[in-house]
Every structure is written in structure tokens, then in C-alpha cells.
């Protein structure tokens, strides 16, 4: 947990914590951040359970939870809110970082493309296949990504992704999956709107007692 502001808390997927910190620095906020570390990403049911439990375990004095993640395989579907939830209307965290200042898309990713958003790229390429059980990763990840030919580094400007070390690790990741490597423009705008309370049509605001059906609810 980070920060100490009462009333509002941020539930952040571990993959976007660096972006949440950047948004808070830019906006001058200091909301407590509760980091969600997944242990069963290959099991959607357990993944949903972890998310719900993490939200429920947040301190009682937090009445509004800013959800710094997407719907990730329907993770929030059929969840009944116990406090106000504000969730970006995107399918996953990559889509959250591909949305810019203008317009909104629930899934702006391109077919056949994989995306690197990490501050420290996984040079083995195996982290990209977290949907597979850990013991099957070596066997399944080349097959899982057989239809992908392009790997894009998402440049949001939050950190320097053009250094020699970063590009070298990203290239190893691309090579492991037989992909070409390039850059694509990203943005921290959606997270900044989330943190800054600018909840337009790009967000789903769920009041206590309401049940979530999907990100179009």
C-alpha cells in the first residue's frame, strides 16, 4: 500500500503501478494504492476471486475505489459492488495505455500484434503467456502466439523505453516469439482521468449494491 489519503483508494494491477504513480505525481494526488499480484492468471475464476477479495479487503474508510485495470477476461462481470467502483471501459491494461486524449476504444489493439508496456521487459518472452499454467509455458507459448508477427513497445512517455538496454531486452522478447519489433504511441491519459475524477463515457461508475454486467453497462 502507498499513500494515505482517506476516502479514495486505487486498486492497481501490478503491471500498471508505474503508470499510476506517474499519474499521481502529475496530478499532485496521494491516494493509497493497493497492488493486485495475481497468482492464478491461467484460471479466470480464481483471477476474478482475487480481484473481488482485494477490493473487499480495502479499509472501510475508502468509499470510492479507482480501478487501475481493465475488464481482463470478464473479471468484473457479475460482481456486486460493496462500495463505489470506477473502472475504465477497456478490455485489458494494454488497451488502457493505448487510449489517448481524444476518443475512446474498448480495444484499440491490432490483430496479430503483441505489446510491451513493462518498465523492465521480460527478455524470455514467457511472461506474455501468463494464460498458460507455469509448467506448460515452454511448450505452449510458441504455439499460443503463432499468429502474431509484430511486437510493439508502447511509448507513453512515462519512462524511457528507447535506451539500448531496454531495446535489447525487448528484441530478445520479440525474437523468442519470432516477431518484428517496433514502437507504437501510447498515453497515460486514461489513468490520469481516472485519478483526476474526469469520469466521462470512457469509465463505468458502479454505485454500492449495483451489479456489473460488462463494461458497456
Amino acid at each position: 500500500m502507498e499513500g494515505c489519503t482517506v476516502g479514495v483508494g486505487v486498486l492497481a494491477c501490478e503491471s500498471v503501478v508505474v503508470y499510476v504513480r506517474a499519474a499521481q505525481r502529475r496530478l499532485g494526488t496521494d491516494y493509497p494504492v493497493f497492488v493486485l499480484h495475481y497468482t492464478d492468471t491461467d484460471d479466470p475464476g480464481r483471477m476474478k476471486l482475487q480481484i473481488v477479495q482485494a477490493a473487499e479487503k480495502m479499509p472501510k474508510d475508502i468509499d470510492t475505489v479507482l480501478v487501475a485495470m481493465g475488464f481482463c477476461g470478464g473479471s468484473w462481470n457479475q460482481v456486486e459492488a460493496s462500495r463505489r467502483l470506477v473502472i475504465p471501459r477497456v478490455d485489458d491494461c494494454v488497451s488502457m495505455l493505448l487510449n489517448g486524449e481524444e476518443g475512446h476504444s474498448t480495444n484499440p489493439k491490432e490483430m496479430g500484434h503483441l505489446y510491451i508496456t513493462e518498465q523492465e521487459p521480460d527478455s524470455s518472452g514467457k511472461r506474455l503467456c501468463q494464460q498458460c499454467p507455469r509448467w506448460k509455458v515452454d511448450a505452449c507459448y510458441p504455439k499460443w502466439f503463432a499468429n502474431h508477427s509484430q511486437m510493439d513497445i508502447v511509448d507513453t512517455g512515462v519512462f524511457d523505453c528507447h535506451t539500448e538496454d531496454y531495446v535489447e531486452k525487448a528484441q530478445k522478447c520479440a525474437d523468442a516469439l519470432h516477431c518484428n519489433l517496433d514502437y507504437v504511441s501510447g498515453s497515460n491519459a486514461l489513468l490520469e482521468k481516472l485519478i483526476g475524477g474526469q469520469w466521462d463515457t470512457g469509465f463505468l461508475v458502479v454505485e454500492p449494491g449495483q451489479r456489473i454486467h460488462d463494461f458497456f453497462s
Side-chain angles (χ1 to χ4, degrees):
M1 190 187 82
E2 304 169 358
C4 58
T5 304
V6 174
V8 177
V10 182
L11 181 62
C13 174
E14 59 185 329
S15 66
V16 298
V17 171
V18 63
Y19 298 98
V20 171
R21 290 174 179 159
Q24 294 229 66
R25 283 195 302 270
R26 189 170 189 275
L27 297 172
T29 58
D30 189 28
Y31 299 137
V33 177
F34 301 85
V35 183
L36 186 58
H37 300 281
Y38 298 120
T39 57
D40 287 290
T41 53
D42 53 295
D43 185 335
R46 283 197 51 81
M47 185 176 172
K48 175 184 284 191
L49 181 61
Q50 289 177 66
I51 292 171
V52 172
Q53 289 178 338
E56 290 178 347
K57 288 179 181 177
M58 295 172 74
K60 298 297 184 184
D61 57 6
I62 292 177
D63 54 32
T64 298
V65 180
L66 308 179
V67 180
M69 60 181 290
F71 273 69
C72 301
S75 301
W76 290 98
N77 288 353
Q78 301 306 313
V79 171
E80 184 174 316
S82 59
R83 58 189 101 194
R84 177 189 286 172
L85 301 173
V86 185
I87 312 173
R89 294 180 190 266
V90 289
D91 66 333
D92 60 25
C93 292
V94 172
S95 292
M96 185 164 59
L97 298 173
L98 288 173
N99 271 279
E101 293 280 356
E102 303 297 328
H104 179 81
S105 173
T106 57
N107 180 9
K109 299 185 293 296
E110 291 188 53
M111 190 79 91
H113 286 236
L114 297 168
Y115 298 88
I116 298 177
T117 61
E118 303 154 293
Q119 190 172 17
E120 185 69 23
D122 173 24
S123 58
S124 71
K126 295 178 184 178
R127 193 181 305 167
L128 287 167
C129 199
Q130 290 179 340
Q131 294 90 340
C132 293
R134 302 296 183 269
W135 61 273
K136 286 186 177 179
V137 167
D138 285 328
C140 89
Y141 86 85
K143 186 183 300 182
W144 186 274
F145 296 114
N147 294 324
H148 295 80
S149 60
Q150 182 70 35
M151 183 170 289
D152 296 323
I153 299 171
V154 181
D155 186 2
T156 63
V158 167
F159 54 82
D160 188 355
C161 57
H162 294 267
T163 67
E164 183 177 347
D165 180 62
Y166 193 97
V167 174
E168 181 180 348
K169 290 177 180 177
Q171 187 63 62
K172 287 181 179 178
C173 184
D175 290 344
L177 298 176
H178 308 291
C179 290
N180 297 316
L181 183 67
D182 205 346
Y183 284 87
V184 64
S185 295
S187 173
N188 214 27
L190 203 57
L191 272 175
E192 289 178 3
K193 286 183 177 182
L194 175 70
I195 300 295
Q198 300 175 19
W199 306 329
D200 54 19
T201 56
F203 297 89
L204 178 63
V205 180
V206 188
E207 298 298 338
Q210 290 184 330
R211 185 175 294 274
I212 302 170
H213 298 291
D214 54 43
F215 45 68
F216 297 109
S217 297

